[in-house]
């Protein structure tokens, strides 16, 4: 008894899994406000026969244990379940019933997938040598994120390895992808307020033009990426907002406001850019007789997939699904708070492509028309089953030595 029979049971549960996803999609709740969603998940787990369930972990997470009959490692699987404050425009028959809130990142799919795995595996609990810890996480989308709170609450204290998946639209359905080492960036955010001295546009000599000062700041801070950062290491600095004045073309604005984001992987690069943004902005403003206030906020850490665990699942997925289905993917500049889990325990975060051009599923994550090919629910579930089969069944060929340290 093992993967093959589990896979058949998962396939038999597919239509039900889709119905769960659509129920979640119709009733989205934003980060830190997922009250009904939490009840829904907990009630499903109880209906499957789970008794060892922990709720409000880290303020809103849910955990369920599936303990095998024999001793063995504990594998953690994580799915997030929060939605975004976006007005849905998909036109789906199961569109959001909550105005201004939608599942625009696939978290409804992540949760439905893991619920399906939990339901199927409950029937085969006695065949396992070890434990599966199902981790349903709140508030992935909004800082400080539910992941950190759950880790701080000890959710991984009894876990040996931890894995998570993310659906990826609009990349065409049919591929499972992985990235060893750094895979997703640390997303930081900054705001800069510049105070100059306003006046008449005909007399600039009697003013301190905040627009000119802000322009120098934008221009010079770009040199942090091109001239201060090690060119072998990745980094992005983007200004998203520049506001000044009230629209009058004969008035020099006394205030300017800048906003943007920094994306890095290497901690030293991250520290350097934060320090230099503050120092250079202050010096540029001082040189132009302006003052400034710089607020820099750190987002999630960079997500690091442990090499050994990533190699294990890459080989495992190729063996299970075929070489043509599994690919390595480049690192990405998006952020993800599963990074906190991987800072704590070895594991990996992989991706299941879920776009479908023929069906019009072509929109990126966080778009009002975002959707995904629901077949990805089944493929993602099979990935989790393959991992369970590897770690928690007695197969000598699967006893690959795993890394013992975070960061390898």
């Amino acid at each position: 008894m093992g993967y093959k029979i589990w896979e058949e049971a998962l396939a038999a549960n597919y239509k039900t899994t889709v119905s769960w996803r659509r129920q979640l999609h119709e009733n989205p709740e934003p980060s830190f406000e997922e009250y009904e969603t939490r009840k829904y998940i907990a009630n499903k787990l109880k209906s499957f026969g789970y008794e060892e369930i922990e709720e409000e972990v880290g303020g809103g997470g849910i955990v369920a244990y599936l303990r095998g009959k024999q001793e063995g490692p504990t594998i953690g699987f994580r799915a997030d379940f929060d939605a975004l404050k976006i007005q849905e425009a998909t036109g789906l028959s199961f569109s959001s019933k909550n105005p201004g809130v939608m599942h625009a990142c696939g978290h409804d799919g992540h949760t439905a997938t893991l619920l399906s795995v939990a339901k199927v595996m409950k029937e085969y609990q006695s065949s396992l040598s070890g434990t599966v810890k199902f981790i349903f996480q709140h508030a992935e989308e909004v800082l400080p994120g539910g992941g950190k709170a759950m880790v701080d609450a000890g959710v991984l204290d009894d876990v040996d390895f931890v894995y998570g998946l993310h659906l990826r639209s609009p990349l065409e359905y049919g591929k499972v992808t992985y990235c060893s080492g750094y895979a997703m960036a640390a997303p930081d955010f900054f705001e800069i307020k510049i105070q100059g001295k306003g006046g008449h546009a005909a007399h600039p000599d009697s003013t301190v033009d905040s627009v000119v000062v802000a322009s120098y700041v934008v221009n010079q801070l770009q040199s942090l990426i091109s001239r201060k950062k090690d060119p072998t290491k990745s980094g992005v600095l983007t200004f998203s907002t520049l506001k000044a004045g009230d629209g009058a073309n004969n008035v020099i604005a006394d205030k300017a406001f800048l906003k943007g984001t920094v994306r890095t992987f290497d901690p030293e690069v991250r520290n350097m850019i934060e320090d230099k943004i503050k120092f250079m902005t202050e010096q540029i403003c001082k040189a132009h007789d302006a003052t400034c206030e710089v607020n820099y906020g750190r987002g999630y850490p960079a997500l690091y997939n442990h090499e050994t665990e990533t190699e294990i699942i890459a080989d495992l997925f190729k063996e299970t699904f075929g070489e043509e289905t599994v690919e390595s993917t480049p690192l990405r500049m998006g952020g993800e708070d599963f990074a906190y889990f991987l800072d704590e325990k070895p594991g990996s975060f992989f991706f299941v492509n879920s776009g479908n051009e023929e069906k019009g599923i072509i929109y990126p994550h966080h778009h009002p028309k975002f959707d995904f090919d629901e077949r990805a629910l089944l493929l993602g579930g099979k990935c989790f089953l393959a991992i369970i089969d590897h770690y928690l069944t007695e197969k000598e060929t699967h006893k690959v030595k795993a890394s013992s340290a975070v960061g390898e």
Side-chain angles (χ1 to χ4, degrees), residues 86-108:
I86 295 174
Q87 180 63 44
E88 183 163 357
T90 61
L92 294 169
S93 61
F94 50 91
S95 291
S96 170
K97 296 178 180 177
N98 298 336
V101 184
M102 76 169 288
H103 274 292
C105 201
H107 296 188
D108 51 338

Side-chain angles (χ1 to χ4, degrees), residues 38-353:
R38 297 175 203 168
K39 292 178 185 176
Y40 181 84
I41 294 168
N43 287 338
K44 285 295 177 190
L45 292 167
K46 292 171 185 176
S47 74
F48 303 158
Y50 284 86
E51 297 179 353
E52 194 174 355
I53 298 173
E54 299 173 6
E55 299 183 52
E56 300 301 321
V57 180
I62 301 164
V63 169
Y65 286 89
L66 182 71
R67 299 189 187 276
K69 190 173 182 180
Q70 292 80 34
E71 293 292 322
T74 297
I75 311 302
F77 290 151
R78 173 270 209 172
D80 41 14
F81 55 76
D82 56 324
L84 288 149
K85 292 185 177 180
I86 295 174
Q87 180 63 44
E88 183 163 357
T90 61
L92 294 169
S93 61
F94 50 91
S95 291
S96 170
K97 296 178 180 177
N98 298 336
V101 184
M102 76 169 288
H103 274 292
C105 201
H107 296 188
D108 51 338
H110 303 165
T111 296
T113 295
L114 198 57
L115 282 173
S116 191
V117 173
K119 180 179 187 296
V120 166
M121 290 310 303
K122 184 62 178 173
E123 300 298 318
Y124 303 101
Q125 181 172 354
S126 62
S127 67
L128 301 181
S129 297
T131 300
V132 182
K133 189 171 185 177
F134 295 101
I135 303 169
F136 295 89
Q137 183 208 307
H138 62 302
E140 188 278 327
E141 296 286 0
V142 175
L143 291 172
K148 185 178 189 305
M150 292 190 77
V151 170
D152 289 346
V155 74
L156 295 180
D157 287 356
D158 56 354
V159 169
D160 296 299
F161 308 99
V162 64
Y163 291 93
L165 71 75
H166 206 299
L167 301 178
R168 291 187 73 179
S169 297
L171 297 183
E172 196 71 12
Y173 167 80
K175 299 285 186 182
V176 178
T177 63
Y178 63 93
C179 181
S180 187
Y182 284 117
M184 301 185 75
D188 296 342
F189 305 91
F190 62 87
E191 295 181 351
I192 299 171
K193 298 176 182 178
I194 296 172
Q195 180 64 59
K197 179 183 177 184
H200 198 289
H203 303 286
D205 55 307
S206 64
T207 71
V208 176
D209 192 335
S210 65
V211 174
V212 171
V213 178
S215 299
Y216 274 110
V217 170
V218 171
N219 182 271
Q220 292 304 308
L221 291 190
Q222 294 300 324
S223 69
L224 294 177
I225 301 299
S226 65
R227 288 296 177 267
K228 295 296 183 183
K229 178 187 65 63
D230 181 340
T232 66
K233 298 177 180 178
S234 298
V236 170
L237 191 160
T238 296
F239 283 92
S240 60
T241 302
L242 196 167
K243 295 180 180 179
D246 60 4
N249 55 13
N250 63 348
V251 176
I252 290 175
D254 67 332
K255 296 183 182 67
F257 177 71
L258 301 168
K259 187 161 61 172
T261 184
V262 173
R263 306 293 169 116
T264 58
F265 296 95
D266 185 271
E268 291 184 4
V269 173
R270 189 183 195 187
N271 292 336
M272 180 276 291
I273 292 179
E274 178 180 357
D275 292 343
K276 289 294 185 181
I277 284 177
K278 295 174 180 177
F279 177 76
M280 289 177 65
T281 300
E282 290 168 356
Q283 296 305 308
I284 290 168
C285 288
K286 184 177 180 180
H288 290 271
D289 298 320
T291 58
C292 66
E293 178 184 334
V294 181
N295 294 308
Y296 192 99
R298 292 208 167 196
Y300 308 143
L303 186 147
Y304 183 88
N305 283 329
H306 299 260
E307 284 91 341
T308 299
E309 283 65 41
T310 304
E311 182 182 356
I312 287 173
I313 63 168
D315 291 344
L316 187 60
F317 294 163
K318 289 174 184 177
E319 176 187 339
T320 306
F321 308 125
E323 294 271 351
E324 69 283 356
T325 300
V326 184
E327 294 180 352
S328 174
T329 187
L331 46 75
R332 304 173 65 210
M333 285 297 176
E336 165 63 58
D337 81 343
F338 192 69
Y340 289 115
F341 290 80
L342 293 173
D343 277 354
E344 189 76 11
K345 291 294 174 75
S348 195
F349 191 65
F350 57 93
F351 305 91
V352 177
N353 291 2

